[in-house]
């Protein structure tokens, strides 16, 4: 039994799975990625999907569908195919996507030797609810159990294994320039919780490798006109062909300083040879790169950050192989971006790793890890439920201090940094009780105790001096976990709670009473915390 991850891209799609401990891109009939293109060739009773369909695009654009992902958000959009060899002549975007997924699944079955029975499918971080629902339906139409939808930037973070690193919290910028779209996302990685939170995403649906192809094709057309007097842009078919060649030249120029455009006469009617340097390509596409940096700026500013505040930058999407793109990103963020995982494959790899980690069947097979709590059909990791009621801790005064407000989107995490302290001199322990519900105090309100735990090893100090941080997290399924630590114990701003023994934590399900295996101590024995007055 295997679960796989699928990057259902605007331009290209790919799938991956874990084989043993290794992430593997699944071969789809000989290719690692396939074009997300569907072709309804007349007279053929099989729909062509993938690279062969993409090859037909130039010759028969009327029966070829590409970039359908852009329309997943539009409930009323249909693709009309004007040919009677097909029963259906009108297709909803999810039906076209289902055909792409079917191809990916068939390829996966071929390379795995069995049909995958569950899949995680990735979606852009800012995909609205209806587009997510349409993606789910596409998976179901293709005949696979959609375990979860995962946002693309989160998938990239998973592929890089960021959560398994040693640091505590990290802010990551995922710069994703694909074939037709650009996204810049800021993701918080909370290592101790294995938690990813996309805090901001900016970008454009119509900015990607295609625009680079088009800009270069227009420039080449000018050169052709100078040489031959023929304006290729007047003939849509010829220009489409030229764009195809421009794409090829663009990709060559990522590895070389110059490339040659050759037309034996099929495009302009005359024999043309044009030498194109990387520098010339960079000039005609500079405005596109600049736009991506403007979006990056907007995203950073939306979080009141500066580029310096970003700890790691990941490059995702085929178009980040363009050297000028890499350079612009490096200049903006003031650090070298990571490209260790192939940018064409990072999203698929992350989805595959994630699919394995939530595979419900693995829990039954008993591979040692208890995954029984993990649902098989919850909504996407970035959408889903909201917190029904305020969640807060009880202070020594008896008052409830709200940490997570009702209606926050799940998953969510709040950290109150150095906001709490002790009420007694040399107090080394504190009881942290988390309540959910309405009311100012436990006695005077409708509150339910969700979890309680004891924070130990508080630095011996006069009352009010220790600076204590409390962090509360609700994952996408509403599972609550909380951590607390004394910042002054280790003497650094941020500690890794996993490594520090003074960290205490508790877990409970939001709809369940806590397990209560924490050491129970009465409120008299241990004082709860007061907000610091600093
Ligand atoms: P999407 O996420 O939109 O499905 P991809 O991430 O697969 O797209 O990116 C596809 C784009 O990447 C295409 O425009 C393609 O031309 C471009 N691309 C792929 N390889 C290279 C390369 N070596 N140099 C420049 N562009 C490349
Ligand atoms: Mg992509």
């Amino acid at each position: 039994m295997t679960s796989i991850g699928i990057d259902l891209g605007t331009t290209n799609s790919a799938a991956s799975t874990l084989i043993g401990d290794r992430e593997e891109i699944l071969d789809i009939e000989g290719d690692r990625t396939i074009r997300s293109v569907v072709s309804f060739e007349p007279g053929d009773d099989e729909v062509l999907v993938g690279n062969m369909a993409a090859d037909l695009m130039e010759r028969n654009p009327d029966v070829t569908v590409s970039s359908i992902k852009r329309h997943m958000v539009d409930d009323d959009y249909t693709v009309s195919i004007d040919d009677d060899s097909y029963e259906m002549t009108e297709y909803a975007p999810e039906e076209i996507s289902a055909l792409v997924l079917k191809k990916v699944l068939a390829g996966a079955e071929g390379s795995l030797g069995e049909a995958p029975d569950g899949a995680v499918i990735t979606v852009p971080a800012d995909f609205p609810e209806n587009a997510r629902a349409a993606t789910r339906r596409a998976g179901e139409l293709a005949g696979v159990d959609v375990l979860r939808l995962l946002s693309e930037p989160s998938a990239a973070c998973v592929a890089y294994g960021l959560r398994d690193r040693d640091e505590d919290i990290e802010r990551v910028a995922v710069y994703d320039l694909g074939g037709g779209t650009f996204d810049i996302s800021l993701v918080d990685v909370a290592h101790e919780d294995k938690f990813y939170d996309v805090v901001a995403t900016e970008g454009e649906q119509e900015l990607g490798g295609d625009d680079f192809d088009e800009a270069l094709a227009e420039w080449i057309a000018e050169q052709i006109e100078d040489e031959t007097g023929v304006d290729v842009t007047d003939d849509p078919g010829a220009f489409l062909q030229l764009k195809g060649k421009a794409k090829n030249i663009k990709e060559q120029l990522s590895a070389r300083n110059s490339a040659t455009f050759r037309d034996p006469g099929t495009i302009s009617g005359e024999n043309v040879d044009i030498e194109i340097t990387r520098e010339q390509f960079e000039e005609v596409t500079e405005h596109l790169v600049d736009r991506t940096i403007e979006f990056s700026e907007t995203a950073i500013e939306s979080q009141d950050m500066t580029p310096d505040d970003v700890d790691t930058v990941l490059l995702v999407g085929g178009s980040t192989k363009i050297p000028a793109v890499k350079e612009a990103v490096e200049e903006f963020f003031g650090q070298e971006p990571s490209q260790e995982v192939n940018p064409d494959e990072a999203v698929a790899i992350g989805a595959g790793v994630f699919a394995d980690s939530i595979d419900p069947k693995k829990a039954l097979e008993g591979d040692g890890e208890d995954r029984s709590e993990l649902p098989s059909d919850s909504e996407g990791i970035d959408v889903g439920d909201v917190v029904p009621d305020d969640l807060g801790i009880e202070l020594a005064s008896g008052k409830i201090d709200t940490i997570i407000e009702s209606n926050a989107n799940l998953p969510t995490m709040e950290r109150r940094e150095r906001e709490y302290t002790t009420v007694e001199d040399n107090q080394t322990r504190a009881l942290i009780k988390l309540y959910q519900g309405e009311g100012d105090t436990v006695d005077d309100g409708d509150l339910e105790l969700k979890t309680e735990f004891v924070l130990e090893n508080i630095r011996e100090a006069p009352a009010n001096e220790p600076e204590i941080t409390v962090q509360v997290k609700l994952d996408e399924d509403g599972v609550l976990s909380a951590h607390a630590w004394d910042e002054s114990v280790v003497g650094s701003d941020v500690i890794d709670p996993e490594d520090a023994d003074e960290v205490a934590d508790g877990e409970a399900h939001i709809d369940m009473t806590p397990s209560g295996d924490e050491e129970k101590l009465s409120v008299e024995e241990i004082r709860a915390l007061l907000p610091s007055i600093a």
Side-chain angles (χ1 to χ4, degrees), residues 72-73 124-134 383:
M72 292 293 273
V73 56
D126 57 358
F127 237 26
E129 188 52 44
N130 65 333
R132 286 171 192 256
V383 286

Side-chain angles (χ1 to χ4, degrees), residues 221-465:
E222 279 170 32
Q223 314 305 307
I224 295 175
E225 193 172 2
D226 284 352
E227 244 179 69
T228 67
V230 180
D231 186 357
V232 180
T233 59
D234 284 344
D235 177 352
F239 189 68
L240 207 60
Q241 256 195 70
L242 175 57
K243 250 186 90 176
K245 290 210 176 214
K247 176 174 187 270
N248 210 295
I249 289 167
K250 168 192 78 175
E251 292 177 6
Q252 288 177 39
L253 288 175
S254 292
R256 298 201 252 136
N257 281 322
S258 71
T260 312
F261 168 81
R262 271 202 187 92
D263 174 24
T266 52
I267 294 176
S268 63
E270 294 197 38
N271 205 322
V272 192
D273 254 24
I274 302 169
E275 182 81 0
I276 300 158
T277 64
R278 186 188 281 177
E279 220 178 330
Q280 283 164 328
F281 169 72
E282 287 174 358
E283 250 167 59
V284 298
T285 54
E286 194 183 2
H287 62 291
L288 299 168
V289 180
D290 289 349
R291 271 192 75 61
T292 70
I293 299 301
E294 281 161 28
F295 280 117
S296 305
E297 229 160 1
T298 310
I300 293 281
E301 278 166 12
S302 77
Q303 298 304 300
D304 290 324
M305 288 165 58
T306 66
D308 278 353
D309 297 327
V310 170
D311 302 305
T312 307
V313 183
L314 306 183
L315 290 181
V316 176
S319 300
T320 61
K321 292 183 182 169
I322 298 172
V325 167
K326 231 179 298 178
E327 283 155 24
V329 174
E330 177 161 353
E331 198 192 318
F332 176 72
F333 286 101
Q335 63 172 292
E336 200 185 326
S338 290
Q339 217 171 12
E340 293 148 44
V341 183
N342 186 342
D344 289 332
E345 299 175 352
V347 170
I349 297 250
V353 173
F354 188 71
D356 183 78
S357 75
I358 62 165
D359 190 337
K361 309 219 173 49
K362 290 235 166 138
L364 302 176
E365 283 168 19
D367 64 346
E369 252 181 87
D370 180 19
R371 294 181 171 98
S372 53
E373 296 278 58
L374 292 159
S376 60
D377 62 350
S378 58
E379 274 308 320
I381 200 164
D382 299 304
V383 286
D385 295 327
V386 292
V387 182
D389 284 306
D390 287 354
L391 255 172
I393 61 168
E394 186 184 18
L395 305 176
S397 63
K399 278 207 165 246
I400 300 293
D401 189 38
T402 298
I403 294 185
I404 293 180
E405 314 236 272
S406 62
N407 287 325
N409 283 314
L410 289 179
T412 180
M413 185 184 78
E414 288 291 336
R415 181 185 289 199
R416 290 292 142 86
E417 215 131 44
R418 301 172 184 270
E419 272 195 35
Y420 305 99
T421 187
T422 50
V423 288
E424 273 191 3
D425 292 341
N426 299 326
Q427 178 187 334
T428 57
R429 289 150 58 100
L431 177 67
I432 316 254
K433 296 176 106 178
L434 262 148
Y435 285 93
Q436 182 166 41
E438 282 179 34
D440 289 335
T441 66
V442 177
D443 296 333
D444 175 27
D446 185 11
L447 290 152
E448 193 187 339
L449 180 65
K450 281 300 171 186
T451 187
E452 60 183 321
F453 57 93
V454 177
L455 169 63
E456 293 185 291
N457 293 356
I458 298 174
R459 176 174 63 107
E460 277 190 41
N464 273 329
E465 240 183 47

Side-chain angles (χ1 to χ4, degrees), residues 7 9-10 12 69 152 176 178 316-317 347:
D7 171 9
T10 309
N12 295 302
K69 189 171 172 180
E152 287 160 12
D176 182 348
V316 176
V347 170

Side-chain angles (χ1 to χ4, degrees), residues 36-266:
S36 308
V37 178
V38 174
S39 182
F40 300 86
E41 269 295 278
D44 209 334
D45 55 1
E46 272 201 16
V47 184
L48 267 183
V49 182
N51 301 343
M52 294 236 284
D55 291 342
L56 286 172
M57 200 153 53
E58 283 168 26
R59 254 187 293 143
N60 209 345
D62 290 349
V63 296
T64 308
V65 190
S66 61
S67 301
I68 193 65
K69 189 171 172 180
R70 285 184 176 158
H71 301 290
M72 292 293 273
V73 56
D74 187 349
D75 291 332
D76 300 321
Y77 186 89
T78 52
V79 178
S80 301
I81 300 296
D82 197 7
D83 184 75
D84 8 280
S85 20
Y86 295 96
E87 268 173 50
M88 212 192 295
T89 51
E90 297 242 306
Y91 294 84
E94 65 214 56
E95 290 170 325
I96 301 289
S97 291
L99 291 169
V100 176
L101 284 172
K102 262 191 177 161
K103 178 81 177 184
V104 172
L105 289 163
E109 181 174 355
S111 40
L112 288 168
E114 61 177 348
D117 36 24
V120 165
I121 303 175
T122 57
V123 290
D126 57 358
F127 237 26
E129 188 52 44
N130 65 333
R132 286 171 192 256
T135 304
R136 258 183 185 285
R137 287 196 299 272
E140 282 149 22
L141 284 171
V144 72
D145 181 15
V146 181
L147 301 174
R148 197 74 75 84
L149 302 177
L150 177 65
S151 86
E152 287 160 12
S154 301
C157 291
V158 175
Y160 274 82
L162 288 185
R163 66 183 183 188
D164 303 324
R165 295 191 185 175
D166 264 349
E167 301 97 303
D168 177 24
I169 196 161
E170 203 173 352
R171 182 148 287 185
V172 182
V174 180
Y175 177 105
D176 182 348
L177 188 59
T181 57
F182 170 69
D183 288 295
I184 175 89
S185 305
L186 300 173
V187 186
D188 274 355
V189 183
H191 300 270
E192 74 274 25
D193 297 322
K194 303 204 155 192
F195 180 66
Y196 297 99
D197 190 12
V198 180
V199 294
T201 184
E202 294 284 337
E204 194 166 309
Q205 283 267 312
E206 309 279 333
L207 176 59
D210 285 349
D211 300 285
F212 288 72
D213 304 344
E214 180 124 4
L216 181 59
E218 272 163 13
W219 184 83
I220 296 173
E222 279 170 32
Q223 314 305 307
I224 295 175
E225 193 172 2
D226 284 352
E227 244 179 69
T228 67
V230 180
D231 186 357
V232 180
T233 59
D234 284 344
D235 177 352
F239 189 68
L240 207 60
Q241 256 195 70
L242 175 57
K243 250 186 90 176
K245 290 210 176 214
K247 176 174 187 270
N248 210 295
I249 289 167
K250 168 192 78 175
E251 292 177 6
Q252 288 177 39
L253 288 175
S254 292
R256 298 201 252 136
N257 281 322
S258 71
T260 312
F261 168 81
R262 271 202 187 92
D263 174 24
T266 52

